[in-house]
Amino acid sequence: MLAYTARRILTLIPLVFGMATVAFCLLLFFPGDPVAVLLGDAASPEQVAQARASLGLDQPWFMRLVNYLWSLAHGDLGSSIFQRRPVLDIILERLPATLELASAAMLVAVAIGLTLGIVAAVWRGTVIDMGAMLLAQLGISMPVFWLGIMLVYVFSVTLGWLPAISRGPDLVPAIGQALQGDTSALSKALSHLFLPALSLGLGQAAIISRLVRVSVLEVVHEDFVRTARAKGLGRPRVMLIHVLRNALLPIISVIGLRFGVLLAGAVLTEAIFAWPGLGQLIVLAVSQRDLPLILGLLLVFALMFAIVNLIVDLIYGVVDPRVSLE
Amino acid sequence: MLNTLLRNPSLLIGGVIVLTLGVIAILAPALATHGVEQMDMANRLQGPSAAHWLGTDNFGRDLWTRLAYGAQLSLGVSALAVSLSVLLGTTIGLVAGYFGGWVDMVLMRITDIFLGFPALILAMAVVAVIGPGTPNLVAAMVLVFWTEYARVIRATTLSLRSRAYVDAALTGGASHLKILFREILPNAQGPIIVLATLGFGTAIITESALSFLGFGVRPPAPTWGGTLAYGTRFLSQSPWLSFASGLTIMLACLGFNLLGDGLRDMLDPRSRLRDGGATA
């Protein structure tokens, strides 16, 4: 298990460098001069030349690529053109907010998706099944940005129950305070988190529910399920211990694959709810055409996606001992 | 034909939605009740009425007219992006699967790298680099969509490659090109059609999402995503603006998803259990 984990982590390294190369090559197609954008029209040719040299733009592209990869190997993502600070610092500042939102949304997605899928499978072919799957089809087709806006309209604008924008206190310290008896920070954090997490999670819940339904239906007809029932185990127990555990494998793998879509959705959700995470940052970076920041964010998003899939693969072996990791 | 449709409600409902949207897009100039940029400041942010079927926006422009013309834009951009992605992805998948060896290895590693980026985020970065505008938007979408076709077509090609009729054709002296286009491609048609239909839904949502963020087709073009975005500024006075444009996007995506599911059930009944769908 340990050897497998180490090997999988090692395979991430060439992938990251491959991605960095592809991303860097894309940026070579940048038509204008980022320095001209940065300095504006009033800059003298000497100032432009000086700025180009300080950014390393006076070198040929392959030298810049080698330099970039070399810095990357040392954990240096370069400096933002507009904020004039290291890209890594800016990203690390914003990362917790995005992780909080993405985890909460995944929790929503799994909780609702599992429930809906099991309900549909248990009452297969009934009105309940059809209703659940219709809901799922609508959820899959619903743009996350529209869902977010409609939730804001209902819960913030009309009912005034929840805040429409911005993030509350950090969730993790708030949970710590709540454990010591002070729940005010936690309730504030959750009131801000609820709508963004719901709008980001519901679409994924729809996809998970369809998959849960199919996986459960595939497993319920297996011999071991009949044996368990024949032994006299109750339906809920058979469902939870025998069926669900075996149906979980494809569900876990799809959760890993959907994480990329979830991250993309986080960009839109953060834009709607003014959630101060990486999504809002990349929208800003793209509108300012801040190339080092865009490049860094692109890599960090891809890395998060890769790490989640790695974790999913490792969980695989834990859930199903038949899957050999070696 | 009618029997197939009645037994496959996804195909029927999806087909009707897609057909309706297609007709609205093509006939937009005839169906529009007002000029697409015709402003009427006295009647800003109105609800639905006999004069304005879906109400008006903040400049008093007719929403129905703008959504109908928006169908031209959204469906047009998506159709172009999906066709070019299919072309690129299929070519790469065919070559990788057919020739195998290091060609396959290199092409699939490149595919993996592209798949490793969350799609919308890569598309945003591409738009940031090459600049906004419709052709660039299509280019960005193709760059993120081709991978799925490449992977599926490669897998299909791999399995077809070892069939006896391919060996027979090779022995008979057929060229590689002829085998690829005459023997393999026709047999890979089913998955391509299903994937492209489902991909259309994803393309519509991606185009809307980029326009929503302000990186898509430039205003004042009446894109669905753009209308939705500026509608949020008037959410408390006129929620209708965001509601109608978002509903249109969802309906379009739903139509293509249902049609894709239905086509899959029809073309490959065994795959009924597998799942998929588009979302962003």
Side-chain angles (χ1 to χ4, degrees), chain B residues 22-33:
Chain B
V23 168
I24 289 177
I26 293 168
L27 298 182
L31 292 171
T33 50

Side-chain angles (χ1 to χ4, degrees), chain A residues 19 26-27 30-31 137-138 140-141 144-146 149-150 153 210-211 214 218 258 260 282-283 286 289 301-302 305, chain B residues 113 115-116 118 121 128-129 215 228 232 235 239 242-243 246-247 249-250 254 257-258 261 273 275-276 278-280:
Chain A
M19 285 174 168
L26 286 179
L27 298 198
F30 191 86
Q137 185 63 265
L138 288 177
I140 288 173
S141 307
V144 57
F145 42 100
W146 186 57
I149 291 164
M150 288 302 116
Y153 179 68
R210 282 179 28 153
L211 198 78
V214 169
E218 272 182 351
R258 300 307 303 180
I282 198 169
V283 172
V286 167
R289 303 181 94 183
F301 271 111
F305 188 22
Chain B
I113 288 173
L115 271 171
I121 294 166
V129 170
F215 304 133
L228 177 54
T232 59
L235 202 57
S242 291
F243 183 71
L247 199 66
I249 299 170
M250 176 171 145
L254 181 71
N257 281 347
L258 285 173
D261 282 355
L273 287 175
D275 218 356
T279 188

Side-chain angles (χ1 to χ4, degrees), chain A residues 51-114:
Chain A
R52 286 181 66 86
S54 73
L55 288 167
L57 291 174
D58 52 346
Q59 292 166 349
W61 68 270
F62 52 88
M63 279 310 294
R64 278 159 51 202
L65 174 61
V66 170
N67 284 341
Y68 186 78
L69 293 180
W70 181 251
S71 311
L72 191 66
H74 293 82
D76 177 8
L77 289 171
S79 286
S80 155
I81 295 180
F82 282 86
Q83 304 194 30
R84 297 175 191 278
R85 288 196 298 145
V87 166
L88 193 63
D89 290 359
I90 302 173
I91 290 178
L92 288 180
E93 255 171 44
R94 298 276 194 132
L95 185 64
T98 296
L99 287 182
E100 186 180 304
L101 175 61
S103 321
M106 222 11 146
L107 204 68
V108 168
V110 172
I112 297 178
L114 271 179

Side-chain angles (χ1 to χ4, degrees), chain A residues 108-130:
Chain A
V108 168
V110 172
I112 297 178
L114 271 179
T115 314
L116 207 62
I118 293 173
V119 163
V122 169
W123 282 283
R124 181 191 189 178
T126 64
V127 182
I128 298 174
D129 180 20
M130 279 162 62

Side-chain angles (χ1 to χ4, degrees), chain A residues 300-318:
Chain A
V300 168
F301 271 111
L303 194 63
M304 285 200 284
F305 188 22
I307 290 174
V308 166
N309 277 302
L310 173 68
I311 296 172
V312 162
D313 280 359
L314 296 177
I315 293 176
Y316 241 68
V318 179

Side-chain angles (χ1 to χ4, degrees), chain B:
Chain B
M1 178 69 186
L2 195 65
N3 262 336
T4 320
L5 280 176
L6 288 178
R7 259 185 288 121
N8 193 335
S10 295
L11 193 69
L12 182 66
I13 301 171
V16 168
I17 295 176
V18 169
L19 206 66
T20 310
L21 286 172
V23 168
I24 289 177
I26 293 168
L27 298 182
L31 292 171
T33 50
H34 295 72
V36 71
E37 295 301 337
Q38 184 188 334
M39 295 187 198
D40 178 6
M41 293 310 262
N43 287 308
R44 317 170 52 230
L45 299 172
Q46 299 285 309
S49 63
H52 298 285
W53 298 349
L54 294 179
T56 58
D57 71 3
N58 52 317
F59 295 110
R61 294 176 298 194
D62 182 64
L63 188 57
W64 156 252
T65 302
R66 291 185 68 79
L67 289 179
Y69 275 99
Q72 278 187 348
L73 270 174
S74 280
L75 297 183
V77 166
S78 300
L80 200 59
V82 170
S83 329
L84 292 174
S85 308
V86 168
L87 202 67
L88 180 66
T90 306
T91 311
I92 290 176
L94 275 176
V95 170
Y98 184 79
F99 292 105
W102 65 269
V103 175
D104 181 33
M105 221 272 291
V106 171
L107 288 176
M108 283 304 109
R109 285 300 81 75
I110 295 175
T111 313
D112 284 346
I113 288 173
F114 272 90
L115 271 171
F117 295 109
L120 181 70
I121 294 166
L122 182 59
M124 279 171 68
V126 173
V127 170
V129 170
I130 58 182
T134 314
N136 292 356
L137 176 69
V138 172
M141 285 164 76
V142 172
L143 217 50
V144 298
F145 288 152
W146 66 271
T147 47
E148 207 181 339
Y149 303 100
R151 287 230 298 201
V152 172
I153 298 309
R154 172 189 173 263
T156 314
T157 310
L158 267 181
S159 75
L160 294 173
R161 173 87 176 80
S162 51
R163 296 283 170 85
Y165 61 80
V166 173
D167 285 337
L170 261 178
T171 320
S175 68
H176 290 312
L177 214 60
K178 195 166 173 189
I179 290 175
L180 277 174
F181 284 97
R182 294 279 294 274
E183 311 292 342
I184 292 184
L185 199 56
N187 286 298
Q189 257 175 14
I192 298 180
I193 291 171
V194 172
L195 266 184
T197 313
L198 291 172
F200 220 106
T202 314
I204 286 174
I205 289 216
T206 307
E207 185 274 322
S208 312
L210 287 169
S211 297
F212 177 78
L213 291 171
F215 304 133
V217 182
R218 307 303 285 171
T223 57
W224 293 343
T227 308
L228 177 54
Y230 71 67
T232 59
R233 284 188 265 145
F234 310 99
L235 202 57
S236 49
Q237 315 148 45
S238 180
W240 187 246
L241 206 52
S242 291
F243 183 71
S245 46
L247 199 66
T248 313
I249 299 170
M250 176 171 145
L251 205 64
C253 184
L254 181 71
F256 281 102
N257 281 347
L258 285 173
L259 187 63
D261 282 355
L263 283 172
R264 179 171 48 193
D265 289 348
M266 191 177 82
L267 296 172
D268 181 10
R270 277 168 310 167
S271 73
R272 197 177 268 268
L273 287 175
R274 270 182 256 135
D275 218 356
T279 188

Side-chain angles (χ1 to χ4, degrees), chain A residues 8-59:
Chain A
R8 278 298 310 267
I9 291 173
L10 285 179
T11 57
L12 276 184
I13 295 171
L15 187 70
V16 168
F17 280 97
M19 285 174 168
T21 309
V22 167
F24 190 89
C25 292
L26 286 179
L27 298 198
L28 287 177
F29 291 102
F30 191 86
D33 186 345
V35 175
V37 177
L38 178 65
L39 295 178
D41 296 333
S44 68
E46 291 77 27
Q47 281 173 315
V48 171
Q50 202 181 6
R52 286 181 66 86
S54 73
L55 288 167
L57 291 174
D58 52 346
Q59 292 166 349

